[in-house]
Amino acid sequence: MKTPGGSDAAKRRAGEHAAEVVTDGDVVGLGTGSTAAHAIRALGRAVDDGLDVRGVATSYASRDLAREVGIPVVGLDSVERIDVAIDGADQVDDGLALIKGGGAAHAREKVVDSAADRFVVVVDPSKETPELDRPVPVEILPDARATIRRALRDLGGTPTLRTAERKDGPVVTDNGNLVLDADFGTVAEPRALATDLATIPGVVEHGLFVGLADEVHVGREDGVTVRRADDR
C-alpha cells in the first residue's frame, strides 16, 4: 500500500541531499522505495567519482539497484557497524515518528535503520502530517493470520490482507510472509501502539518506526528542509 502523491523532483531533491551526508569509507544502509532510490543513484554517481562506500540493502529491489549503479553490496552480518542509513517513509509526524512498509520491506528496513549510527529519512511534503493516520503495515507469519487479525481488532484496528497488484493472491514479502494493513485511524500514541503490536505472537515486524529517525530531509520544489530529532 504505497503512499500516492509527491513530485518526482521533490523526491529526487530529498534523496540527493541525503546522499551528501555519506563520507568516504562509510557503510550505508540502502532503503527501499522511490525516494530512497534517488539516494542510491546519487551514491552510485559518487562511487563513479571515487567515493569508497559499501551498501547494506533492505530489499531485493534496493540490492539490485545498488549493484546496477556500482555500489558494492555486503550483508548485514559481514559488517561491524552501519554508519548511516538512508530510507523513505509513508508518513512522518511532528515528532519524527514514521509509518513505513508501503513496499512491504519494513522488517528488513527496521533491522538496518535501527542498527545505523545515523538514520536519515527522505520524503516529499505529501508524507508530512501532524499525527500518523495511515494504516500500519504488519508483517505476519502466514499460519498466524487468523489469530493476529483478532488481536489487531482487539487493539482497535481494522486489518486488511494486502493483495498483489499484478498477480492473484496476497503480497508475499522478501521474507516469505504476509502483510496485514491495520487501520487504527489517528495514531495518537505511536510508541504505545508499537509496543502492543510487537507483543502479538506471530507478528514478524510492524511499520511503526518510533524514536529511530535522527533527521528527515524533505524535498520541496524550491529546495530541501531538514528536520532533526534534536530540534524537537
Side-chain angles (χ1 to χ4, degrees):
M1 184 182 290
K2 295 184 179 180
T3 308
S7 73
D8 189 66
K11 294 177 181 180
R12 176 176 53 78
R13 287 190 181 93
E16 292 178 352
H17 193 268
E20 293 176 1
V21 310
V22 177
T23 59
D24 204 57
D26 279 352
V27 175
V28 186
L30 304 175
T32 300
S34 58
T35 312
H38 285 295
I40 295 173
R41 293 188 185 98
L43 287 173
R45 293 191 292 272
V47 168
D48 286 342
D49 291 337
L51 182 69
D52 177 22
V53 298
R54 291 177 292 165
V56 177
T58 57
S59 65
Y60 293 140
S62 60
R63 179 200 63 186
D64 290 348
L65 178 58
R67 288 175 173 171
E68 178 185 326
V69 300
I71 301 173
V73 178
V74 296
L76 180 60
D77 58 353
S78 68
V79 297
E80 293 184 0
R81 59 184 291 176
I82 295 176
D83 296 286
V84 57
I86 302 174
D87 208 347
D90 298 304
Q91 273 194 329
V92 53
D93 73 7
D94 288 345
L96 302 194
L98 316 173
I99 289 179
K100 291 177 49 59
H106 52 286
R108 296 190 186 191
E109 288 173 332
K110 189 174 286 187
V111 171
V112 172
D113 296 344
S114 63
D117 292 340
R118 183 179 182 185
F119 174 29
V120 178
V121 181
V122 289
V123 296
D124 62 78
S126 71
K127 309 305 190 297
E128 293 185 292
T129 183
E131 293 183 295
L132 303 177
D133 59 7
R134 283 181 54 80
V136 178
V138 183
E139 182 171 342
I140 66 169
L141 297 177
D143 288 347
R145 178 169 53 177
T147 58
I148 294 173
R149 279 182 183 273
R150 289 196 292 270
L152 292 173
R153 292 191 184 103
D154 288 344
L155 290 175
T158 301
T160 302
L161 180 67
R162 189 180 301 183
T163 55
E165 294 181 358
R166 294 184 177 86
K167 73 175 186 68
D168 294 334
V171 166
V172 178
T173 71
D174 287 354
N175 307 311
N177 299 311
L178 304 180
V179 176
L180 292 173
D181 291 304
D183 190 349
F184 294 93
T186 299
V187 182
E189 298 183 14
R191 189 177 298 276
L193 180 58
T195 299
D196 289 339
L197 294 175
T199 61
I200 300 174
V203 167
V204 175
E205 192 52 84
H206 58 79
L208 285 170
F209 286 49
V210 184
L212 293 179
D214 293 300
E215 55 197 71
V216 178
H217 293 224
V218 186
R220 305 186 187 278
E221 297 304 320
D222 58 350
V224 177
T225 301
V226 179
R227 299 165 51 191
R228 293 183 172 84
D230 293 342
D231 295 337
R232 289 181 287 135

